[in-house]
């Protein structure tokens, strides 16, 4: 086969694969949860008809959402009992308020009690969130802290798997949620950071970070960068089938011997390699912190 013919065949194969995929990024949260679960097993808890919504948003002129931007669903994932908690990034940027965060914390608590009674269930968090809603401030922060406590308690029994897709990313207190998960899956379009680019620019100035510089932002906190520097465990393309398989593969590993959040000394050694007066760029970080270096 000539080189041109081979190139054309490869291009066609990539195009066909792209067109046939089921994009997770283009889905809303409920669709994402449904796409992970086996057909016919999706059962939503506290759905939109239950009208469990924030009482605080209307007081500030914000129209609430009937599920407060969080989908809780139980079902089967490859025949295994599973709990999916999906955040709707299109509502308030996926921000966590008192109700939405409490829904996740409560679902994790129920899963923990199931595990303690000998009925293991696989928990999966679909994280698409800018962190706590400013409109609910301390109320949201308190509920997010409950999420953290429940993850730490639950991951002793089963692996807790987090997924960050796009385009919002995962920031603020919910980035801590991601860090507490047993395993993390990301798409290349994902971003993971404690503070978002706009917050960094606002607080530290454009000389620290230009929030409009997309190339720099993804080179520092993008999904591929986080994978190559061992902050996440799997990097997959935007496809529901690939995502489901990645979740199953990580679940099959079982509970990690050491969770990422327990490797305090290893991360302290990593930070010691950085000169604050000359912070490294994305490529330099990959050389300093190569994938596979962390225990």
């Amino acid at each position: 086969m000539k080189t041109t013919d081979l190139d054309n065949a490869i291009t066609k194969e990539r195009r066909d694969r792209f067109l046939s995929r089921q994009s997770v990024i283009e889905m809303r949260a409920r669709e994402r949860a449904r796409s992970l679960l086996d057909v016919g097993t999706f059962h939503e808890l506290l759905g939109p008809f239950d009208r469990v919504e924030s009482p605080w948003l209307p007081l500030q002129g914000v129209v609430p959402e009937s599920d407060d931007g969080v989908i809780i669903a139980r079902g089967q994932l490859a025949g295994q009992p599973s709990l999916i908690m999906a955040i709707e990034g299109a509502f308030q940027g996926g921000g966590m308020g008192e109700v939405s965060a409490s829904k996740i914390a409560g679902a994790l608590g129920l899963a923990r009690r199931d595990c303690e009674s000998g009925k293991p269930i696989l928990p999966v968090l679909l994280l698409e969130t800018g962190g706590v809603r400013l409109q609910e401030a301390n109320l949201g922060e308190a509920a997010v802290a409950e999420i953290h406590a429940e993850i730490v308690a639950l991951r002793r029994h089963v692996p807790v798997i987090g997924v960050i897709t796009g385009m919002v990313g995962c920031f603020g207190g919910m980035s801590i949620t991601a860090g507490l998960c047993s395993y993390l899956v990301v798409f290349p379009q994902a971003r993971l950071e404690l503070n978002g680019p706009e917050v960094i620019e606002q607080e530290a100035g454009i000389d620290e970070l230009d929030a409009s510089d997309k190339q720099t932002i993804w080179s520092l906190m993008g999904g591929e960068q986080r994978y190559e520097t061992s902050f996440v465990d799997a990097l997959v393309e935007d496809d529901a089938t690939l995502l489901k398989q990645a979740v199953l593969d990580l679940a099959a590993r079982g509970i990690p011997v050491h969770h990422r959040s327990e490797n305090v000394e290893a991360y302290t050694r990593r930070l010691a390699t950085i000169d604050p007066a000359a912070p490294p760029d994305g490529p330099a970080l990959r050389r300093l912190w190569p994938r596979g270096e962390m225990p």
Side-chain angles (χ1 to χ4, degrees):
M1 182 180 290
K2 296 180 180 179
T3 302
T4 303
D5 293 337
L6 179 59
D7 290 342
N8 289 339
I10 292 173
T11 300
K12 181 179 183 304
E13 189 272 335
R14 288 175 176 171
R15 182 181 66 246
D16 291 345
R17 188 171 70 245
F18 178 81
L19 293 174
S20 65
R21 88 198 195 291
Q22 188 180 13
S23 171
V24 178
I25 289 177
E26 294 174 4
M27 295 177 185
R28 301 294 291 267
R30 190 169 283 103
E31 294 176 274
R32 292 178 179 183
R34 194 183 297 274
S35 72
L36 273 180
L37 294 171
D38 298 345
V39 176
T41 68
F42 176 94
H43 175 68
E44 187 167 353
L45 308 178
L46 292 181
F49 294 108
D50 292 305
R51 307 295 300 183
V52 180
E53 57 189 40
S54 170
W56 309 109
L57 295 181
L59 299 177
Q60 301 173 71
V62 178
V63 178
E65 191 156 300
S66 55
D67 52 29
D68 207 40
V70 164
I71 308 303
I72 306 295
R74 293 192 66 154
Q76 303 281 320
L77 205 167
Q80 178 180 355
S82 298
L83 169 69
I84 311 295
M85 296 148 285
I87 300 171
E88 179 55 74
F91 179 65
Q92 292 292 306
M96 291 287 95
E98 181 185 24
V99 171
S100 54
S102 294
K103 285 176 70 174
I104 295 176
L108 290 167
L110 289 174
R112 171 177 52 79
R113 287 192 282 276
D114 276 354
C115 290
E116 290 170 347
S117 63
K119 297 180 290 185
I121 184 169
L122 175 64
V124 181
L125 285 152
L126 303 182
L127 302 166
E128 189 75 11
T129 169
V132 173
R133 294 177 196 157
L134 296 181
Q135 296 96 333
E136 301 190 40
N138 291 344
L139 294 171
E141 293 282 7
V144 167
E146 292 178 12
I147 292 175
H148 298 165
E150 288 293 355
I151 289 177
V152 171
L154 179 57
R155 71 186 190 183
R156 301 189 187 106
H157 304 280
V158 289
V160 179
I161 299 176
V163 178
I164 307 172
T165 55
M167 298 297 292
V168 175
C170 186
F171 299 103
M174 294 304 286
S175 71
I176 300 174
T177 299
L180 290 172
C181 289
S182 307
Y183 301 108
L184 275 177
V185 184
V186 294
F187 289 3
Q189 296 88 344
R191 294 175 296 167
L192 172 62
E193 182 67 65
L194 183 60
N195 291 318
E198 290 80 6
V199 173
I200 295 173
E201 179 183 296
Q202 175 182 302
E203 298 300 321
I206 198 169
D207 290 338
E208 179 68 21
L209 183 66
D210 180 354
S212 67
D213 187 348
K214 306 304 181 186
Q215 182 174 350
T216 296
I217 289 167
W218 261 267
S219 74
L220 293 173
M221 60 185 75
E224 184 176 347
Q225 178 73 355
R226 291 309 193 192
Y227 176 75
E228 293 296 339
T229 50
S230 298
F231 285 97
V232 303
D233 306 282
L235 174 70
V236 299
E237 293 299 323
D238 176 22
D239 181 82
T241 301
L242 294 177
L243 174 58
K244 184 171 183 176
Q245 188 57 55
V247 170
L248 289 171
D249 290 344
L250 291 173
R253 295 187 189 181
I255 302 170
V257 176
H258 298 289
H259 283 86
R260 187 175 286 108
S261 61
E262 297 171 320
N263 293 329
V264 177
E265 292 184 2
Y267 283 110
T268 301
R269 290 195 299 271
R270 274 189 161 199
L271 289 173
T273 64
I274 292 180
D275 178 4
D281 58 12
L285 271 176
R286 293 192 188 193
R287 293 191 294 271
L288 277 173
W289 300 344
R291 175 154 190 82
E293 180 187 77
M294 296 295 290

